[in-house]
Amino acid sequence: FNHLLLKKYATNLLLVFIFLSLLLSLFFIGWLIAVGLEINQRLEKDSNSSFKIFVIGMKYLFLYFWFFWSLIAIILKGIILPRILIFLMPFHMLGIFFIFYGINFISKRLLMTEQRDIVGNPEYLRVFLQILFFPIGIFYIQDRVHRMIGK
């Protein structure tokens, strides 16, 4: 009896973890979208194709995170088998690509907006890594974003 009770509480705890992970993921994607839109308005429209890829990628990530975390919750409830995750691997790899593309887009465009010049790879690597380590790096980047938009 205790084993079944423990399993029930562990499953509920995992569902809470999944819900919190979904919220954090959507918050991160929302932050990327908000900063990307603001930075794109401040730059000249010479790089419109990369912005279109950014928008498509962020829409994909938003939908993918909803689907992925919902699927994990369904698997934990025992409704479907975990073997289905193998078929999601290409979609997961595409999601990883779009996360890195979004971070790359934001870090490059942020420095281009601040310096008003084209930046090279070593220059925006620091900003890229700060955004990549999401909870900590965002606090440093957010000050620069606020200065950029004049708040």
Side-chain angles (χ1 to χ4, degrees), residues 19-61:
F19 178 72
L20 291 176
S21 297
L22 173 67
L23 284 179
L24 188 62
S25 302
L26 294 178
F27 175 76
F28 180 60
I29 298 304
W31 184 86
L32 284 176
I33 291 170
V35 172
L37 291 174
E38 185 65 36
I39 288 174
N40 191 57
Q41 289 177 354
R42 305 240 181 239
L43 284 176
E44 291 79 27
K45 301 295 182 191
D46 60 342
S47 58
N48 204 10
S49 64
S50 63
F51 180 69
K52 287 179 184 176
I53 295 171
F54 172 76
V55 170
I56 290 169
M58 293 303 109
K59 287 179 182 178
Y60 175 83
L61 284 174

Coordinates of all heavy atoms in Angstrom, one line a residue, residues 19-61:
F19 N 4.9 21.1 -15.2 CA 4.2 22.4 -15.3 C 5.2 23.6 -15.1 O 5.1 24.5 -15.9 CB 3.1 22.4 -14.3 CG 2.3 23.7 -14.4 CD1 1.5 24.0 -15.4 CD2 2.4 24.6 -13.3 CE1 0.7 25.1 -15.5 CE2 1.7 25.8 -13.4 CZ 0.9 26.1 -14.5
L20 N 6.0 23.5 -14.1 CA 6.9 24.6 -13.9 C 8.0 24.7 -15.0 O 8.4 25.8 -15.4 CB 7.6 24.4 -12.5 CG 6.7 24.6 -11.3 CD1 7.5 24.2 -10.0 CD2 6.1 25.9 -11.2
S21 N 8.4 23.6 -15.5 CA 9.3 23.6 -16.6 C 8.7 24.2 -17.9 O 9.3 25.0 -18.6 CB 9.8 22.2 -17.0 OG 10.5 21.6 -15.9
L22 N 7.4 23.9 -18.1 CA 6.7 24.5 -19.2 C 6.6 26.0 -19.0 O 6.8 26.8 -20.0 CB 5.3 23.9 -19.3 CG 4.4 24.5 -20.4 CD1 4.9 24.3 -21.8 CD2 3.0 24.0 -20.2
L23 N 6.3 26.5 -17.8 CA 6.2 27.9 -17.6 C 7.5 28.6 -17.8 O 7.6 29.7 -18.4 CB 5.7 28.2 -16.2 CG 4.2 28.0 -15.9 CD1 3.8 28.2 -14.5 CD2 3.4 28.8 -16.9
L24 N 8.6 28.0 -17.3 CA 9.9 28.6 -17.5 C 10.3 28.6 -19.0 O 10.9 29.6 -19.4 CB 10.9 27.8 -16.6 CG 12.3 28.4 -16.6 CD1 12.3 29.8 -15.9 CD2 13.3 27.5 -15.8
S25 N 10.0 27.5 -19.7 CA 10.3 27.5 -21.1 C 9.6 28.5 -21.9 O 10.2 29.2 -22.7 CB 10.0 26.1 -21.7 OG 10.7 25.1 -21.0
L26 N 8.3 28.7 -21.6 CA 7.5 29.7 -22.3 C 7.9 31.1 -21.9 O 7.9 32.0 -22.8 CB 6.0 29.4 -22.0 CG 5.5 28.1 -22.6 CD1 4.0 28.0 -22.2 CD2 5.7 28.0 -24.1
F27 N 8.3 31.3 -20.7 CA 8.8 32.6 -20.3 C 10.1 32.9 -21.1 O 10.3 34.1 -21.5 CB 9.1 32.6 -18.8 CG 9.8 33.9 -18.3 CD1 9.0 35.0 -18.2 CD2 11.1 33.9 -18.0 CE1 9.6 36.2 -17.7 CE2 11.7 35.1 -17.6 CZ 11.0 36.2 -17.4
F28 N 11.0 32.0 -21.2 CA 12.2 32.2 -21.9 C 12.0 32.5 -23.4 O 12.5 33.4 -24.0 CB 13.1 31.0 -21.8 CG 14.5 31.1 -22.5 CD1 15.3 32.1 -22.2 CD2 14.8 30.2 -23.5 CE1 16.5 32.2 -22.9 CE2 16.0 30.3 -24.2 CZ 16.9 31.3 -23.9
I29 N 11.1 31.7 -24.0 CA 10.7 32.0 -25.4 C 10.1 33.3 -25.6 O 10.3 34.1 -26.5 CB 9.8 30.8 -26.0 CG1 10.6 29.5 -25.9 CG2 9.4 31.1 -27.4 CD1 11.9 29.5 -26.6
G30 N 9.2 33.7 -24.6 CA 8.5 35.0 -24.7 C 9.5 36.1 -24.5 O 9.4 37.1 -25.2
W31 N 10.6 35.9 -23.7 CA 11.6 36.9 -23.5 C 12.4 37.1 -24.8 O 12.7 38.2 -25.3 CB 12.5 36.6 -22.4 CG 13.5 37.6 -22.1 CD1 13.4 38.7 -21.3 CD2 14.9 37.7 -22.7 NE1 14.6 39.5 -21.3 CE2 15.5 38.9 -22.1 CE3 15.6 36.9 -23.5 CZ2 16.8 39.2 -22.5 CZ3 16.9 37.3 -23.8 CH2 17.5 38.4 -23.3
L32 N 12.7 35.9 -25.4 CA 13.5 36.0 -26.7 C 12.6 36.7 -27.8 O 13.2 37.5 -28.5 CB 13.8 34.6 -27.2 CG 14.9 33.9 -26.5 CD1 15.1 32.4 -27.1 CD2 16.2 34.6 -26.7
I33 N 11.3 36.4 -27.9 CA 10.5 37.1 -28.8 C 10.4 38.6 -28.6 O 10.5 39.4 -29.5 CB 9.1 36.4 -28.8 CG1 9.2 35.0 -29.4 CG2 8.1 37.3 -29.7 CD1 7.9 34.2 -29.2
A34 N 10.2 39.0 -27.3 CA 10.0 40.4 -27.0 C 11.3 41.2 -27.3 O 11.3 42.2 -27.9 CB 9.7 40.5 -25.5
V35 N 12.4 40.6 -26.9 CA 13.7 41.3 -27.2 C 14.0 41.3 -28.7 O 14.5 42.3 -29.2 CB 14.9 40.7 -26.4 CG1 16.2 41.2 -26.8 CG2 14.6 40.9 -24.9
G36 N 13.8 40.2 -29.4 CA 14.0 40.1 -30.8 C 13.2 41.1 -31.6 O 13.7 41.8 -32.5
L37 N 11.9 41.3 -31.2 CA 11.1 42.2 -31.9 C 11.5 43.7 -31.7 O 11.6 44.5 -32.6 CB 9.6 42.1 -31.5 CG 8.9 40.8 -31.9 CD1 7.5 40.7 -31.3 CD2 8.8 40.7 -33.4
E38 N 11.9 44.0 -30.4 CA 12.4 45.3 -30.1 C 13.7 45.6 -30.8 O 13.9 46.7 -31.3 CB 12.5 45.4 -28.6 CG 12.9 46.8 -28.1 CD 11.8 47.8 -28.4 OE1 10.6 47.5 -28.3 OE2 12.2 49.0 -28.7
I39 N 14.6 44.7 -30.8 CA 15.9 44.9 -31.5 C 15.7 45.1 -33.0 O 16.3 45.9 -33.6 CB 16.9 43.8 -31.1 CG1 17.3 43.9 -29.7 CG2 18.1 43.8 -32.0 CD1 18.2 42.8 -29.2
N40 N 14.8 44.3 -33.6 CA 14.6 44.4 -35.0 C 14.0 45.7 -35.4 O 14.3 46.2 -36.5 CB 13.7 43.2 -35.5 CG 13.7 43.1 -37.0 OD1 14.7 42.9 -37.6 ND2 12.5 43.2 -37.5
Q41 N 13.2 46.3 -34.5 CA 12.7 47.6 -34.8 C 13.7 48.7 -34.8 O 13.6 49.7 -35.5 CB 11.6 48.0 -33.9 CG 10.3 47.2 -34.0 CD 9.2 47.5 -33.0 OE1 9.5 48.3 -32.1 NE2 8.1 46.9 -33.1
R42 N 14.8 48.5 -34.0 CA 15.8 49.5 -33.8 C 16.9 49.4 -35.0 O 17.6 50.4 -35.2 CB 16.5 49.3 -32.5 CG 15.5 49.4 -31.4 CD 15.9 50.5 -30.4 NE 14.9 50.5 -29.3 CZ 14.2 51.5 -29.1 NH1 14.2 52.6 -29.8 NH2 13.3 51.5 -28.1
L43 N 17.0 48.3 -35.6 CA 17.9 48.1 -36.7 C 17.3 48.4 -38.1 O 16.1 48.4 -38.2 CB 18.5 46.7 -36.7 CG 19.5 46.3 -35.7 CD1 19.8 44.8 -35.8 CD2 20.7 47.1 -35.8
E44 N 18.2 48.7 -39.0 CA 17.7 48.9 -40.4 C 17.2 47.5 -40.9 O 17.5 46.5 -40.4 CB 18.9 49.3 -41.3 CG 19.3 50.7 -41.0 CD 20.3 50.8 -39.8 OE1 20.9 49.8 -39.5 OE2 20.3 51.8 -39.1
K45 N 16.4 47.6 -41.9 CA 15.7 46.4 -42.4 C 16.5 45.7 -43.4 O 16.0 45.0 -44.3 CB 14.3 46.8 -43.0 CG 13.4 47.5 -42.1 CD 13.0 46.6 -41.0 CE 12.0 47.4 -40.1 NZ 11.7 46.7 -38.9
D46 N 17.8 45.7 -43.3 CA 18.7 45.0 -44.3 C 18.8 43.5 -44.0 O 19.2 42.7 -44.9 CB 20.1 45.6 -44.3 CG 20.8 45.5 -42.9 OD1 20.1 45.2 -41.9 OD2 22.0 45.6 -42.9
S47 N 18.4 43.0 -42.9 CA 18.5 41.6 -42.5 C 17.1 41.0 -42.3 O 16.9 40.4 -41.3 CB 19.4 41.4 -41.3 OG 18.9 42.1 -40.2
N48 N 16.2 41.2 -43.2 CA 14.8 40.8 -43.0 C 14.7 39.3 -43.1 O 13.8 38.7 -42.4 CB 13.9 41.5 -44.1 CG 12.5 41.6 -43.6 OD1 12.2 41.3 -42.5 ND2 11.6 41.9 -44.5
S49 N 15.5 38.6 -43.9 CA 15.4 37.1 -44.0 C 15.7 36.4 -42.7 O 15.1 35.5 -42.3 CB 16.2 36.6 -45.1 OG 17.6 36.8 -44.9
S50 N 16.8 36.9 -42.0 CA 17.1 36.3 -40.7 C 16.1 36.5 -39.7 O 15.8 35.7 -38.8 CB 18.5 36.8 -40.3 OG 18.5 38.1 -40.0
F51 N 15.4 37.7 -39.8 CA 14.3 38.0 -38.8 C 13.1 37.0 -39.1 O 12.5 36.6 -38.1 CB 13.9 39.4 -38.9 CG 12.8 39.8 -38.0 CD1 13.0 39.8 -36.6 CD2 11.5 40.0 -38.4 CE1 12.0 40.1 -35.7 CE2 10.5 40.3 -37.6 CZ 10.7 40.4 -36.2
K52 N 12.8 36.7 -40.3 CA 11.7 35.8 -40.7 C 12.0 34.4 -40.1 O 11.2 33.8 -39.6 CB 11.5 35.7 -42.2 CG 10.9 37.0 -42.7 CD 10.7 36.9 -44.2 CE 10.1 38.2 -44.8 NZ 10.0 38.1 -46.2
I53 N 13.3 34.0 -40.2 CA 13.7 32.7 -39.7 C 13.5 32.7 -38.1 O 13.1 31.8 -37.5 CB 15.1 32.3 -40.1 CG1 15.2 32.1 -41.6 CG2 15.6 31.1 -39.4 CD1 16.6 32.0 -42.1
F54 N 13.9 33.8 -37.5 CA 13.8 34.0 -36.1 C 12.3 33.9 -35.7 O 12.0 33.1 -34.7 CB 14.3 35.3 -35.7 CG 14.1 35.7 -34.2 CD1 14.8 35.1 -33.2 CD2 13.1 36.6 -33.9 CE1 14.6 35.4 -31.9 CE2 12.9 36.9 -32.6 CZ 13.6 36.3 -31.6
V55 N 11.4 34.5 -36.4 CA 10.0 34.5 -36.0 C 9.4 33.1 -36.2 O 8.7 32.6 -35.4 CB 9.2 35.5 -36.9 CG1 7.7 35.3 -36.7 CG2 9.6 36.9 -36.4
I56 N 9.8 32.5 -37.3 CA 9.3 31.1 -37.6 C 9.8 30.1 -36.5 O 9.1 29.3 -35.9 CB 9.8 30.6 -39.0 CG1 9.0 31.3 -40.0 CG2 9.6 29.1 -39.1 CD1 9.5 31.1 -41.4
G57 N 11.1 30.3 -36.1 CA 11.7 29.5 -35.1 C 11.0 29.7 -33.7 O 10.8 28.7 -33.0
M58 N 10.7 30.9 -33.4 CA 10.1 31.2 -32.1 C 8.7 30.6 -32.0 O 8.2 30.1 -31.0 CB 10.1 32.7 -31.7 CG 11.5 33.2 -31.5 SD 12.4 32.4 -30.2 CE 13.7 31.5 -31.1
K59 N 7.9 30.7 -33.1 CA 6.6 30.1 -33.2 C 6.7 28.6 -33.0 O 5.9 28.0 -32.3 CB 5.9 30.5 -34.5 CG 5.5 31.9 -34.6 CD 4.8 32.3 -35.9 CE 4.4 33.7 -36.0 NZ 3.8 34.0 -37.3
Y60 N 7.7 28.0 -33.7 CA 7.8 26.6 -33.6 C 8.2 26.2 -32.2 O 7.6 25.2 -31.7 CB 9.0 26.1 -34.6 CG 9.3 24.7 -34.4 CD1 8.5 23.7 -35.1 CD2 10.3 24.2 -33.6 CE1 8.8 22.4 -34.9 CE2 10.6 22.9 -33.5 CZ 9.8 22.0 -34.1 OH 10.1 20.6 -33.9
L61 N 9.1 26.9 -31.5 CA 9.4 26.6 -30.2 C 8.3 26.7 -29.2 O 8.1 25.9 -28.3 CB 10.6 27.5 -29.7 CG 12.0 27.1 -30.2 CD1 13.0 28.2 -29.8 CD2 12.4 25.7 -29.8

